[in-house]
Amino acid sequence: MLKRIWMAALLMTIIMLLYIGRLAWVQLIPGSSSAALQSSGVKRGGWQRVSVIQRQRNMVLDTGRGDFYDRFGSAITGETYSSIAFFPVRKEARGDEEALRGLAKLLDVPLDRLVEEWDSVREPIFWKKDVERLPVRLTEEQVSRIKALKLNGIRVLPYRNRYPLGFEPKHVIGFTSQHPEWLQSEHPDDLVKGNRKLTEQVGGAGLEKSLDQLLHGVGETSVSYFIDGKNGPLQGLDLRVTQPRNRYYPLKVVTMLDLALQNEIEAYADKHGLKEGAIVVLDANNADIVAMVSRPKLKPGHFQSSDGMEWANHALKAAAPGSVFKLVTEAAALEAGVVHRHETFVCNGEYGKYGLSCWKEGGHGRLTLEEALAQSCNIAFATIAERLEASQLQRTADALGIGHKAGWHREEPFGPFKAPLRLLEEEEAGQLFASVRGGIKESEKEKRAAALAAVDGGVLAQSGIGQRDVRMSPLQAANLIVTLLNEGRVMEPRLVSEIRYANGQRMVKLPAQRAQGSSGRIKPATAHALLRGMEAVVDHGTGRSIRQGLWAVAGKSGTAETTRAGIARNHQWFAGYGPAKTPRYAIAVLVENQPPGSKHHATKLFRGVMDIAARMTKQRDS
């Protein structure tokens, strides 16, 4: 009997020691349960912190993410306004029915619906109207009257809205979304330390993605509302606001965009039926990106097509350029000396081989090199292209920045960036010949030379008029115009000029810069000859329909044959500049997948966009 008593006592002692050990583990040692709390946003702190959290309800007011501004200081993202928050408080603790009726009237909602939705609240929420995805926006009068109701469980709080009222999502800015798998892969240490959460929004495209490491900031601002065990308010505690104690954040990203111009161009493009394509506006002096429009429209959170058409930035996607590429072909011929400015060509409409013909039935007859560009004669340019060696055409394309990613980038870490940076991550490089792609390493030069040597006359003739395997993005087309305006100097289109701390102090400057590793440069005389040819295009050539407008303009049209789902389609282009004598802007327009024979929509859009730019420039200069 005594032995059994001792055994029972020993067993009870062991059980008690296990319970005591477990309690010490929970209080003092950050183990697996602590990690679980951290993954949901709770930092280490033991049972005391958890017990407090169980008596409070938290709501995020501001994620702390940095915002974007345009070149004039106008906010592209980020606004703060007053809204009303509902906390999970039991019915009898909320206040009298008269006050509830007053609240329902202020929110323009039936009382029974207000009560029903409040009853369903389990975590704090901002009140939203049926058709709105954003919390309701309160006027100053509404704020004053709601506070006067003295209801428990509701508070007027500042809501930080990422995208302001009326903001049209922009591919160039991008969007944010939850991406826990990416966070686990790229930022495991930050997750463990509690610096980032699996539930937070991260950049999904555009600048939101390329600058995400800096934009996510140092923490969120949240509000806590204390309740008792019966979901009643704890009198005297009310609200507590928690925010990062760092006056340098959130950051301010200053872009080169002109927000007012961007918005007007977007509205113009939609009004005139741009369903698929892009418009790029660059500063003619340094290639800074003033506006960048892509269609179809970006609809964050509503991606329905399997090919991702809604989120693809068509300004950065490479497409067949058609006759816009004749600028490169003429430049190569002048640089190689296989043609001279006053040479004449004869076009009877048929090339006689490769199945190639001119767009004008019966041909253009006899015409000079400048007229061949003005009239976009396929026969003349196929002839010119066949005089060239593939290496000569490739060399000139490289010198003009064609076939490479054009956007601003750094190949080594700098400033706050711990890795190489490319502002436009989604940009496609484009190409001239399918067998020769850009970015070939030094050790592969022999391989490149062999591939170029294998290019035959048929490939050259079709490539020379911008068909076959030639690909160029609207950004690269606009930058080609800037390069010619700057006598062959290739710049990297810049989207961000600087990043500043919240107090206005500069964190880092991103200066305008020449293209890195560009191979050679065309002669200024070659650039001037092409500019004269583009003036002739609008004066009496294929672009004469846009001769009249607020500014005299110059440029080059293009039509590229393509197919979509086996059906013949055309890509329509126009790339040019204005004013013709004192250029301010270089603009490229691409209208994709148009029916063959349809009116040249890109030319008309170019004229309209240039007129918008002219009008706004005049208003600002006056």
Side-chain angles (χ1 to χ4, degrees):
M1 175 67 74
L2 186 61
K3 184 176 181 180
R4 291 180 180 176
I5 293 174
W6 278 105
M7 289 293 292
L10 180 61
L11 180 61
M12 290 179 64
T13 301
I14 293 173
I15 293 173
M16 289 297 294
L17 287 173
L18 287 173
Y19 274 111
I20 292 170
R22 176 58 180 164
L23 181 60
W25 180 275
V26 170
Q27 293 186 55
L28 304 175
I29 302 176
S32 59
S33 61
S34 177
L37 286 169
Q38 290 169 45
S39 68
S40 60
V42 180
K43 295 183 179 180
R44 297 186 176 107
W47 65 271
Q48 298 97 332
R49 177 175 173 82
V50 175
S51 66
V52 171
I53 289 173
Q54 289 174 342
R55 298 196 306 270
Q56 69 185 36
R57 294 294 182 265
N58 293 318
M59 167 177 260
V60 175
L61 301 179
D62 185 352
T63 64
R65 192 171 180 84
D67 285 311
F68 296 100
Y69 296 81
D70 82 346
R71 58 174 53 203
F72 301 112
S74 297
I76 298 176
T77 61
E79 64 168 350
T80 301
Y81 64 84
S82 295
S83 190
I84 182 169
F86 285 70
F87 294 82
V89 173
R90 69 180 189 275
K91 280 186 179 182
E92 55 272 25
R94 295 170 185 168
D96 59 55
E97 187 171 335
E98 190 62 32
L100 286 171
R101 290 186 185 278
L103 179 60
K105 185 177 181 180
L106 283 169
L107 295 179
D108 192 25
V109 62
L111 177 61
D112 57 349
R113 187 198 150 199
L114 176 71
V115 173
E116 180 183 353
E117 293 205 18
W118 200 347
D119 289 344
S120 68
V121 169
R122 296 294 177 266
E123 295 293 334
I125 64 164
F126 278 109
W127 182 264
K128 300 177 183 179
K129 289 185 178 180
D130 289 336
V131 296
E132 294 182 354
R133 66 179 179 87
L134 293 176
V136 64
R137 187 182 300 262
L138 299 176
T139 65
E140 290 185 10
E141 181 183 356
Q142 285 176 312
V143 170
S144 178
R145 292 174 66 181
I146 288 173
K147 288 180 178 178
L149 294 174
K150 299 187 182 303
L151 286 165
N152 291 317
I154 64 164
R155 287 293 183 273
V156 173
L157 296 171
Y159 175 74
R160 184 67 175 173
N161 179 26
R162 181 70 181 162
Y163 301 110
L165 185 67
F167 175 86
E168 283 283 349
K170 305 178 192 308
H171 292 80
V172 68
I173 297 297
F175 60 88
T176 61
S177 62
Q178 288 188 2
H179 200 331
E181 296 85 1
W182 179 82
L183 282 167
Q184 287 176 324
S185 171
E186 299 296 323
H187 300 284
D189 293 340
D190 286 337
L191 289 171
V192 171
K193 294 175 183 176
N195 295 332
R196 303 197 73 157
K197 298 180 181 179
L198 289 177
T199 56
E200 74 179 45
Q201 297 277 315
V202 300
L207 288 179
E208 292 276 24
K209 182 179 180 182
S210 61
L211 298 177
D212 183 78
Q213 182 64 35
L214 294 181
L215 286 172
H216 88 274
V218 295
E220 63 193 21
T221 298
S222 63
V223 62
S224 301
Y225 185 85
F226 293 88
I227 59 176
D228 60 24
K230 297 181 180 180
N231 275 1
L234 281 174
Q235 302 301 326
L237 289 181
D238 198 48
L239 300 180
R240 182 177 69 185
V241 175
T242 304
Q243 59 186 0
R245 295 180 179 178
N246 191 325
R247 64 190 179 92
Y248 295 105
Y249 290 83
L251 297 177
K252 300 178 178 180
V253 179
V254 182
T255 73
M256 299 312 303
L257 295 174
D258 180 337
L259 183 59
L261 179 62
Q262 170 88 19
N263 289 339
E264 285 225 23
I265 293 173
E266 287 179 6
Y268 178 83
D270 293 336
K271 180 180 178 181
H272 291 273
L274 179 59
K275 303 296 184 184
E276 187 178 353
I279 300 170
V280 177
V281 182
L282 302 183
D283 187 310
N285 294 313
N286 58 12
D288 283 344
I289 300 172
V290 181
M292 181 179 282
V293 177
S294 175
R295 289 296 182 266
K297 283 188 175 184
L298 179 63
K299 297 179 181 179
H302 297 85
F303 305 138
Q304 297 177 357
S305 68
S306 59
D307 58 4
M309 289 292 291
E310 295 97 335
W311 59 263
N313 187 344
H314 288 241
L316 305 178
K317 290 182 69 66
S323 295
V324 170
F325 191 77
K326 290 171 181 173
L327 294 169
V328 180
T329 303
E330 180 174 334
L334 290 170
E335 292 289 293
V338 299
V339 69
H340 58 82
R341 282 182 53 200
H342 302 293
E343 183 175 350
T344 59
F345 301 85
V346 177
C347 170
N348 60 11
E350 297 295 332
Y351 193 52
K353 50 185 176 178
Y354 315 130
L356 198 153
S357 60
C358 194
W359 65 268
K360 184 177 181 181
E361 189 174 348
H364 292 96
R366 187 174 294 275
L367 67 178
T368 64
L369 178 62
E370 185 174 293
E371 285 302 299
L373 185 69
Q375 303 301 331
S376 199
C377 178
N378 287 343
I379 306 305
F381 275 89
T383 302
I384 293 169
E386 280 210 84
R387 293 180 185 177
L388 290 163
E389 295 177 5
S391 58
Q392 293 172 321
L393 187 55
Q394 182 71 61
R395 189 182 308 119
T396 302
D398 290 343
L400 292 171
I402 305 302
H404 303 275
K405 293 182 179 181
W408 196 101
H409 76 291
R410 287 286 178 89
E411 295 178 351
E412 66 286 330
F414 73 103
F417 300 100
K418 297 178 174 60
L421 173 67
R422 182 172 289 278
L423 288 173
L424 297 168
E425 289 185 355
E426 299 95 337
E427 184 187 3
E428 295 180 356
Q431 67 180 27
L432 174 48
F433 303 113
S435 57
V436 184
R437 300 189 181 275
I440 290 182
K441 298 177 183 178
E442 190 73 21
S443 60
E444 297 178 324
K445 280 190 173 181
E446 290 185 7
K447 182 179 177 181
R448 175 186 174 107
L452 287 170
V455 174
D456 61 25
V459 173
L460 277 169
Q462 294 176 64
S463 300
I465 60 173
Q467 289 287 165
R468 188 76 185 198
D469 302 316
V470 183
R471 298 292 183 270
M472 183 191 303
S473 72
L475 176 63
Q476 292 155 12
N479 200 41
L480 168 62
I481 302 302
V482 175
T483 298
L484 297 177
L485 290 171
N486 285 273
E487 297 185 323
R489 289 184 290 269
V490 183
M491 302 296 293
E492 289 189 353
R494 181 177 57 151
L495 190 51
V496 174
S497 62
E498 60 184 9
I499 301 175
R500 292 186 173 273
Y501 292 110
N503 65 358
Q505 180 182 343
R506 180 189 289 164
M507 170 190 266
V508 63
K509 181 178 181 180
L510 284 66
Q513 64 186 26
R514 296 273 296 273
Q516 300 177 42
S518 59
S519 53
R521 172 183 167 186
I522 65 170
K523 301 182 182 72
T526 299
H528 293 158
L530 293 170
L531 295 176
R532 286 192 296 270
M534 285 190 280
E535 290 180 10
V537 168
V538 175
D539 182 69
H540 56 272
T542 55
R544 58 186 176 277
S545 62
I546 61 169
R547 187 166 47 193
Q548 301 300 318
L550 296 180
W551 279 343
V553 297
K556 182 71 189 78
S557 60
T559 303
E561 296 176 356
T562 186
T563 60
R564 185 172 190 174
I567 301 173
R569 286 289 182 263
N570 286 341
H571 292 333
Q572 299 175 352
W573 291 78
F574 198 96
Y577 59 94
K581 300 304 179 185
T582 55
R584 299 275 299 254
Y585 299 111
I587 298 175
V589 178
L590 167 62
V591 181
E592 296 179 86
N593 296 307
Q594 295 295 290
S598 57
K599 293 187 69 173
H600 207 275
H601 197 32
T603 303
K604 181 180 179 181
L605 284 173
F606 174 88
R607 176 75 265 180
V609 171
M610 193 63 81
D611 283 347
I612 292 171
R615 174 172 50 79
M616 295 188 72
T617 299
K618 183 177 180 180
Q619 290 172 353
R620 286 178 175 146
D621 289 348
S622 61

Coordinates of all heavy atoms in Angstrom, one line a residue, residues 472-502:
M472 N 10.4 45.8 -81.6 CA 10.8 47.0 -80.9 C 9.6 47.4 -80.0 O 8.4 47.2 -80.4 CB 11.0 48.1 -82.0 CG 11.4 49.5 -81.4 SD 11.4 50.8 -82.7 CE 12.5 50.1 -83.9
S473 N 9.9 47.9 -78.9 CA 8.8 48.4 -78.0 C 8.5 49.9 -78.2 O 9.4 50.6 -78.7 CB 9.2 48.2 -76.5 OG 10.2 49.1 -76.1
P474 N 7.3 50.3 -77.9 CA 7.0 51.8 -78.0 C 8.0 52.6 -77.3 O 8.4 53.7 -77.7 CB 5.6 51.9 -77.4 CG 5.0 50.6 -77.8 CD 6.1 49.6 -77.5
L475 N 8.5 52.2 -76.1 CA 9.5 53.0 -75.4 C 10.8 53.1 -76.2 O 11.4 54.2 -76.3 CB 9.8 52.3 -74.0 CG 10.9 52.9 -73.2 CD1 10.5 54.4 -72.8 CD2 11.3 52.1 -72.0
Q476 N 11.2 52.0 -76.8 CA 12.4 52.0 -77.6 C 12.2 52.9 -78.9 O 13.1 53.6 -79.3 CB 12.8 50.6 -78.0 CG 13.3 49.8 -76.8 CD 13.1 48.3 -77.0 OE1 12.9 47.8 -78.1 NE2 13.3 47.5 -75.9
A477 N 11.0 52.9 -79.5 CA 10.7 53.7 -80.6 C 10.8 55.2 -80.3 O 11.4 56.0 -81.0 CB 9.3 53.3 -81.2
A478 N 10.2 55.6 -79.1 CA 10.3 57.0 -78.7 C 11.7 57.3 -78.4 O 12.1 58.5 -78.7 CB 9.4 57.2 -77.5
N479 N 12.5 56.4 -77.8 CA 13.9 56.7 -77.5 C 14.7 56.8 -78.7 O 15.7 57.6 -78.8 CB 14.4 55.7 -76.6 CG 15.7 56.1 -75.8 OD1 15.7 57.3 -75.4 ND2 16.7 55.3 -75.7
L480 N 14.3 56.1 -79.8 CA 15.0 56.2 -81.1 C 14.9 57.7 -81.6 O 15.9 58.3 -82.1 CB 14.4 55.3 -82.1 CG 14.8 55.4 -83.6 CD1 16.4 55.3 -83.7 CD2 14.1 54.5 -84.5
I481 N 13.7 58.2 -81.5 CA 13.5 59.6 -81.9 C 14.4 60.6 -81.1 O 15.0 61.5 -81.6 CB 12.0 60.0 -81.8 CG1 11.1 59.1 -82.6 CG2 11.8 61.5 -82.2 CD1 11.4 59.0 -84.1
V482 N 14.4 60.4 -79.8 CA 15.3 61.2 -78.9 C 16.7 61.1 -79.3 O 17.5 62.1 -79.4 CB 15.1 60.9 -77.4 CG1 16.1 61.7 -76.5 CG2 13.7 61.1 -77.0
T483 N 17.2 59.9 -79.6 CA 18.6 59.7 -80.1 C 18.9 60.5 -81.3 O 19.9 61.1 -81.4 CB 18.8 58.2 -80.3 OG1 18.6 57.5 -79.1 CG2 20.2 57.9 -80.8
L484 N 18.0 60.5 -82.3 CA 18.2 61.2 -83.5 C 18.2 62.7 -83.3 O 19.0 63.5 -83.8 CB 17.1 60.9 -84.6 CG 17.1 59.4 -85.0 CD1 15.9 59.1 -86.0 CD2 18.4 59.0 -85.7
L485 N 17.3 63.2 -82.4 CA 17.3 64.6 -82.0 C 18.5 65.0 -81.3 O 18.9 66.2 -81.4 CB 16.1 64.9 -81.2 CG 14.7 64.8 -81.8 CD1 13.6 64.9 -80.8 CD2 14.5 65.9 -82.9
N486 N 19.2 64.1 -80.7 CA 20.5 64.4 -79.9 C 21.7 63.9 -80.7 O 22.7 63.6 -80.1 CB 20.4 63.8 -78.5 CG 19.5 64.6 -77.6 OD1 19.9 65.5 -77.0 ND2 18.2 64.1 -77.5
E487 N 21.6 63.9 -82.0 CA 22.7 63.6 -82.9 C 23.4 62.3 -82.6 O 24.6 62.1 -82.8 CB 23.7 64.8 -82.9 CG 23.1 66.1 -83.3 CD 24.2 67.2 -83.4 OE1 25.1 67.2 -82.5 OE2 24.1 68.0 -84.3
G488 N 22.6 61.3 -82.3 CA 23.1 60.0 -82.1 C 23.4 59.6 -80.7 O 23.9 58.4 -80.4
R489 N 23.3 60.5 -79.7 CA 23.6 60.1 -78.3 C 22.4 59.4 -77.7 O 21.3 59.9 -77.7 CB 23.8 61.4 -77.5 CG 25.2 62.1 -77.8 CD 25.4 63.2 -76.8 NE 24.5 64.3 -77.1 CZ 24.8 65.3 -78.0 NH1 26.0 65.3 -78.6 NH2 23.9 66.3 -78.2
V490 N 22.6 58.2 -77.3 CA 21.5 57.3 -76.8 C 21.4 57.5 -75.3 O 22.4 57.3 -74.5 CB 21.8 55.8 -77.1 CG1 20.6 55.0 -76.6 CG2 22.0 55.6 -78.5
M491 N 20.2 58.0 -74.8 CA 20.0 58.1 -73.4 C 19.1 57.0 -72.9 O 18.5 56.2 -73.7 CB 19.2 59.5 -73.2 CG 19.9 60.7 -73.7 SD 21.5 61.0 -72.8 CE 20.9 61.4 -71.1
E492 N 19.1 56.8 -71.6 CA 18.2 55.8 -71.0 C 17.0 56.5 -70.4 O 17.1 57.3 -69.5 CB 19.0 55.1 -69.8 CG 20.1 54.1 -70.3 CD 20.6 53.2 -69.2 OE1 20.2 53.5 -68.1 OE2 21.4 52.4 -69.5
P493 N 15.8 56.2 -71.0 CA 14.6 56.8 -70.5 C 14.5 56.6 -68.9 O 14.5 55.5 -68.4 CB 13.5 56.1 -71.2 CG 14.1 55.7 -72.5 CD 15.5 55.3 -72.1
R494 N 14.3 57.8 -68.3 CA 14.3 57.7 -66.8 C 12.9 58.0 -66.3 O 12.2 58.9 -66.7 CB 15.2 58.8 -66.3 CG 15.4 58.9 -64.8 CD 16.4 60.0 -64.4 NE 16.1 61.3 -64.9 CZ 16.4 62.5 -64.4 NH1 17.1 62.5 -63.2 NH2 16.1 63.6 -64.9
L495 N 12.5 57.2 -65.3 CA 11.1 57.3 -64.7 C 11.1 57.9 -63.3 O 10.1 58.5 -62.9 CB 10.5 55.9 -64.7 CG 9.0 55.8 -64.4 CD1 8.2 56.7 -65.2 CD2 8.6 54.3 -64.5
V496 N 12.3 57.8 -62.6 CA 12.4 58.4 -61.3 C 13.6 59.3 -61.2 O 14.7 58.9 -61.7 CB 12.5 57.2 -60.2 CG1 12.7 57.8 -58.8 CG2 11.2 56.4 -60.2
S497 N 13.4 60.5 -60.6 CA 14.5 61.4 -60.5 C 15.2 61.3 -59.1 O 16.4 61.4 -59.0 CB 14.1 62.8 -60.8 OG 13.1 63.2 -59.8
E498 N 14.4 61.0 -58.1 CA 15.0 61.0 -56.8 C 14.0 60.3 -55.8 O 12.8 60.3 -56.1 CB 15.4 62.4 -56.2 CG 14.2 63.3 -56.2 CD 14.7 64.7 -55.7 OE1 15.9 65.0 -55.7 OE2 13.8 65.6 -55.5
I499 N 14.5 59.9 -54.7 CA 13.7 59.3 -53.6 C 14.0 60.1 -52.3 O 15.2 60.3 -52.0 CB 14.0 57.8 -53.4 CG1 13.7 57.1 -54.6 CG2 13.1 57.3 -52.2 CD1 14.0 55.6 -54.6
R500 N 13.0 60.7 -51.7 CA 13.2 61.5 -50.5 C 12.6 60.9 -49.3 O 11.6 60.1 -49.3 CB 12.6 62.9 -50.7 CG 13.3 63.7 -51.8 CD 12.8 65.1 -51.9 NE 13.6 65.9 -52.8 CZ 14.6 66.6 -52.5 NH1 15.0 66.6 -51.2 NH2 15.3 67.3 -53.3
Y501 N 13.2 61.3 -48.1 CA 12.6 60.8 -46.8 C 11.3 61.6 -46.6 O 11.0 62.6 -47.3 CB 13.6 61.1 -45.7 CG 14.8 60.2 -45.8 CD1 16.1 60.7 -46.1 CD2 14.7 58.8 -45.5 CE1 17.2 59.9 -46.1 CE2 15.8 58.0 -45.5 CZ 17.0 58.5 -45.8 OH 18.1 57.7 -45.9
A502 N 10.6 61.2 -45.6 CA 9.3 61.9 -45.2 C 9.5 63.4 -44.8 O 8.7 64.2 -45.1 CB 8.6 61.2 -44.1

